[in-house]
Structure formats: C-alpha cells, structure tokens
C-alpha cells in the first residue's frame, strides 16, 4: 500500500497525461470546425446572387407592361434601381406599382417622383388591401383622395375581399371595399381589385356601388363560374406566374385551362412581385427566390401557351390594354 503522499504525487501526473492525450483530439475537432466554416463561406461566395440568377434566366421578349408590382416592398430596398434596370433589359416598358395601404401608396408615389420614374415609366395605384382594412380610419379616404390627384396615380386599389385568411374581419373588409369603390366612382378612376374565396360578396358589392368605372381583378386564381361572372360584369383579368405553378394543390393547370375564355381586350399580365416567381424557370436551383418585373416574359410565355397564341400577340394586346385601361401617357 502506497503512502498517501505518494498517491497525491501521482494524481497531478495522471491529470497531465490525460490532458496531453486530449490535446490532439481537441485540435482535430477545432480543425474540422474551421474547415466546415471555410466551406460554408466558400459556398456563400459562390452561390449566385438574386441579380445573377435573374440575368441567367432572363428572356428578352417583345415590349410588355407589368400592371402589378409591389416595388415598395422592403425586399427591394437594397437593389431597387438594379431591379428596374433589369426590367428595362427584359423589355418591360412600364410598371404599375401597387399601393396596399396609405403608407405603401405614399411610398409608391415617392418612387414615381424619383429620378427612376423618368427612366423606367413608373405609375402607381392608391388603395387599402383587404388584409389591411382593419387599419382604416376617418382619415383614410382623404389620404387616398389626395394621392389619387398625383399625375402618376392610375387606379384606386388594391382593394377587394379575401375570405381565405381573413387578416381583417369580413365585415370590415366589405365596408372599406365599398368605400373605395365609391371613391373610384367619385374620381372616375379604374379599380385595381383583389378577390380570393369571396366571389359572391365581391360581385354583390361591385354591383351595388360600381356604376361605370373600369376594374381589373388582378392575380386572378378563381373558378370558371367566377371568371364568367367577372367578364359578364365588364371586368378585366390580370394573370400572374400562378399559371405556371405545376404543383397540383396550387391549381395552376386549372387556371391555365380557363385562359382561352378571356377575350383579348380584357387580358393583362403581371408579376405581383416579390411574390409568385414563375415555376416554369427550371431547374429550381436556377430560379430566383424573389420575383421581379424582369421575369414578366416568363409569365407572358405561360399565358401565351395556355391560350394557344404567340408571345408576340399576347404582348401586343396586353400592352395596348394596359395603355388604354390605365390611360398611360
């Protein structure tokens, strides 16, 4: 039996040996972590940027007009000018910037007052989206009326009904939808409309309050019955990249089957960016995560294919429709 002092002397030696044996393992682990970090940094450096992805899949086609682009969305804050330049390269001759509340409508007006407007033919709509209806108050209509006086404001909206998600209570949506239809009638301006899972009430309110102004149901994704009802009411129809969505649950194929029912003089195309990047851009790793106006030619191609018409023909009629409907200069 060793004396206690001998045992005490061995313990530091054993601890030192254990630490020495662990040092190579720790060094190896640190080296692997550093290697993984370097690989991740390299992947980030080599991964294409949004602009690079758009440039790679850009199709330069005939002149088009994007009637619905949410260009004041914060996702465009870092590269808005580059986005507009790419749109021009892709043949987008004019863009209508969507207002979805008083704040975004004012931001759209400011964008149209910027130097970018003179280079890229920007216009805007002024309105409150049904999702934002719960934020309306006694000052809302006055603010929209003031915005509508801007020389670049071409429609009242986006307004309508969305009973799919009900971010605002249905009765609140209906109240402010009716109020904006009345405002459009007062100002004799077209309506930029939204309808999802609310076709019957949407049509009822329009029949009750709309007298003579034009209206476009933007980003149409409804049924055949809704389409026929809207056309019978004299409304125009806007089609987005939704028509190129090949996922069965999204209904892109069903929407494509309806497009031949839309008369040439009632048809528009739009991106609704930054949403609804056309899924016809393949492979998926080549598809930009954010939609933008430069991708409108992909919507054009999908719409033309669904209608059995040439892209040149569809571009021509939709561009003429937009100029006439929105009274673009």
């Amino acid at each position: 039996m060793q004396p206690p002092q001998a045992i005490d002397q061995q313990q530091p030696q054993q601890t030192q040996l254990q630490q020495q044996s662990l040092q190579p393992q720790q060094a190896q682990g640190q080296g692997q972590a550093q290697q993984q970090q370097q690989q991740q940094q390299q992947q980030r450096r080599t991964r294409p940027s949004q602009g690079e992805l758009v440039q790679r899949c850009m199709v330069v086609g005939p002149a088009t007009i994007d009637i619905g682009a949410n260009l004041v969305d914060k996702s465009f804050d870092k590269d808005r000018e580059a986005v507009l330049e790419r749109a021009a390269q892709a043949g987008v001759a004019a863009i209508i910037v969507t207002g979805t509340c008083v704040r975004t409508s004012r931001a759209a007006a400011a964008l149209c007052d910027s130097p970018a407007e003179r280079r890229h033919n920007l216009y805007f709509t002024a309105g409150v989206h049904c999702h934002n209806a719960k934020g309306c108050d006694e000052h809302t209509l006055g603010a929209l009326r003031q915005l509508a006086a801007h020389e670049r404001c071409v429609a009242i909206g986006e307004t309508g009904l969305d009973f799919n998600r009900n971010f605002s209570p249905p009765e609140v949506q209906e109240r402010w939808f009716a109020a904006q239809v009345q405002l459009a009638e007062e100002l004799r301006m077209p309506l930029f409309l939204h309808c999802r899972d609310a076709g019957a009430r949407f049509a009822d309110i329009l029949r009750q309050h709309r007298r003579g102004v034009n209206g476009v149901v933007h980003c149409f994704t409804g049924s055949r019955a809704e389409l026929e009802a809207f056309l019978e009411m004299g409304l125009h129809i806007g089609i987005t990249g939704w028509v190129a969505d090949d996922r069965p649950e999204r209904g892109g194929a069903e929407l494509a089957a309806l497009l031949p029912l839309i008369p040439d003089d009632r048809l528009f195309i739009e991106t609704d960016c930054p949403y609804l990047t056309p899924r016809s851009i393949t492979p998926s790793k080549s598809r930009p995560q954010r939609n933008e106006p430069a991708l409108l030619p992909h919507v054009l191609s999908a719409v033309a294919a669904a209608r059995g018409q040439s892209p040149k023909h569809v571009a021509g009629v939709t561009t003429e429709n937009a100029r006439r409907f929105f009274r673009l200069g």
Side-chain angles (χ1 to χ4, degrees), residues 10-25:
Q10 286 181 352
Q11 287 177 345
Q13 295 174 353
Q14 292 173 352
T15 302
Q16 186 176 9
L17 289 171
Q18 290 172 350
Q19 290 175 344
Q20 290 175 349
S21 66
L22 287 173
Q23 285 176 354
Q25 298 177 4

Side-chain angles (χ1 to χ4, degrees), residues 61-65 90-93 300 315-316 318-319 323:
T64 54
I65 293 178
V92 180
L300 170 66
T318 56
T319 297
R323 293 195 183 282

